[in-house]
Amino acid sequence: MERLNTKLYLQNCYIMKENERLRKKAQLLNQENQALLSELKLKQKLTKASSIPDLNTPPPASNAGSKYSSQ
């Protein structure tokens, strides 16, 4: 019985150590994921700001370049 308890104790220690290792790895991966997500959102903002204008929005109210303006 003592031997079985020792064996189970050692297995438990191994499992706890492995669990801690995996927890740390998960935290690192989560941090990396958050950083990549932030970078992606920033790139999307920059791309959206410099990309083709949204055709669903009305154009600015300016007659400066109109061919119908009086000369």
Side-chain angles (χ1 to χ4, degrees), residues 12 17 29 31 42 46 55 62 69:
N12 192 31
K17 191 173 185 179
L29 288 172
Q31 288 174 351
L42 180 61
L46 294 174
L55 297 177
S62 171
S69 64

Side-chain angles (χ1 to χ4, degrees), residues 2-68:
E2 181 78 23
R3 211 163 142 179
L4 179 59
N5 283 345
T6 303
K7 183 178 177 181
L8 290 173
Y9 173 77
L10 291 174
Q11 284 180 342
N12 192 31
C13 288
Y14 172 77
I15 290 170
M16 288 191 302
K17 191 173 185 179
E18 184 70 6
N19 192 21
E20 185 61 30
R21 183 186 72 80
L22 291 172
R23 184 178 291 116
K24 286 179 182 178
K25 186 172 184 177
Q27 286 174 338
L28 289 173
L29 288 172
N30 188 44
Q31 288 174 351
E32 181 181 356
N33 202 13
Q34 292 299 318
L36 290 171
L37 183 60
S38 295
E39 186 179 329
L40 178 63
K41 285 181 179 180
L42 180 61
K43 284 184 180 181
Q44 285 177 336
K45 271 187 184 178
L46 294 174
T47 302
K48 192 173 183 181
S50 65
S51 66
I52 299 171
D54 186 1
L55 297 177
N56 293 322
T57 59
S62 171
N63 292 333
S66 174
K67 64 180 181 179
Y68 298 110

